[in-house]
Amino acid sequence: MLCVFDVNETLLDLRALDPLFTELTGSAGARREWFGLVVHTALTVTATGGYRDFAEIAGLAAADTARRYGRELTDAELVRIGDGLRALPAHEDVKPALDQLKRDGHRIVALTNSPLATAEAQLQHAGLATKFERIFSAQQVARLKPAPEPYRQVLSAYGADEAVMIAAHGWDLAGAQAAGMKTALVSREGQRALPGTPAPTYAAASLPGLARQLS
């Protein structure tokens, strides 16, 4: 089976940015607030038929989040956030799960909303780049997930009859399901499937748990 992995939160641990956002805003919850705004903005842009660079959205959302706490981020501080995104560590369960899937004969690729250069830098820094046959970015089709084009890009490239999207976000899985893919939810930080959407084909609290189900 073709296993298609989301990157941010699914593979990489955004909690590593918590100290930086706390420093920049004074709030321990600012990082989660920021990423929620990033996702909300990306979904709105996509639903209204547009496209914006995901890294640009992340920067604008960071500036807006800081303003809510009475701070104006400098260019240097925005660069620190971008550098932090490119230097995220992998969740501890990622490498064992990827290795197990490969041993079981599955093909492994990544599909992210991040620009391709960012995704490549992220996976390289996290020591994961060699685990993937290819890295796909929504940037390549100028449409952000959960629009169908990013998922179809992968399916078209591989001519896959059977593919599963593995992600920590219900909105991502809903988009993949609509594009004809199976879905697998990893419950990072209490993530759940979206109410009213089809239940994921597979679900587990960790990636090794999903790997066992897929095998």
Side-chain angles (χ1 to χ4, degrees):
M1 185 184 296
L2 179 65
C3 296
V4 186
F5 280 85
D6 174 52
V7 175
N8 292 308
E9 285 199 304
T10 302
L11 298 174
L12 304 181
D13 192 351
L14 283 174
R15 292 176 298 182
L17 292 176
D18 285 357
L20 176 57
F21 272 88
T22 300
E23 174 192 337
L24 294 177
T25 67
S27 170
R31 190 271 305 169
R32 288 190 183 187
E33 182 181 341
W34 159 73
F35 195 67
L37 182 59
V38 171
V39 170
H40 184 85
T41 304
L43 290 174
T44 301
V45 168
T46 302
T48 53
Y51 172 78
R52 292 193 78 163
D53 183 285
F54 194 71
E56 179 187 4
I57 291 174
L60 292 170
D64 185 79
T65 300
R67 286 190 198 102
R68 297 183 191 190
Y69 294 96
R71 286 290 310 279
E72 287 291 335
L73 296 183
T74 66
D75 289 343
E77 288 169 334
L78 287 169
V79 167
R80 289 178 66 194
I81 294 172
D83 289 345
L85 272 171
R86 287 185 289 274
L88 294 171
H91 287 285
E92 291 184 359
D93 64 351
V94 171
K95 289 182 181 179
L98 296 179
D99 290 340
Q100 183 63 54
L101 289 169
K102 281 196 171 185
R103 285 194 297 269
D104 291 336
H106 298 291
R107 306 184 75 177
I108 301 173
V109 301
L111 172 63
T112 179
N113 273 342
S114 296
L116 184 59
T118 298
E120 290 173 341
Q122 286 180 309
L123 295 178
Q124 184 68 39
H125 181 274
L128 299 177
T130 60
K131 305 288 186 184
F132 294 89
E133 290 188 16
R134 288 184 63 178
I135 302 169
F136 292 89
S137 168
Q139 179 189 46
Q140 294 165 300
V141 290
R143 288 280 280 162
L144 296 172
K145 297 184 291 177
E149 290 87 350
Y151 308 101
R152 291 174 181 166
Q153 171 189 202
V154 179
L155 296 175
S156 176
Y158 275 82
D161 294 326
E162 192 172 34
V164 59
M165 184 73 208
I166 301 168
H169 308 114
W171 55 265
D172 200 348
L173 298 185
Q177 192 275 339
M181 301 174 72
K182 293 183 177 181
T183 58
L185 175 69
V186 57
S187 302
R188 302 286 191 210
E189 294 192 89
Q191 294 279 1
R192 299 185 299 274
L194 292 180
T197 62
T201 316
Y202 310 95
S206 68
L207 285 180
L210 286 177
R212 288 191 291 272
Q213 293 182 42
L214 289 167
S215 299

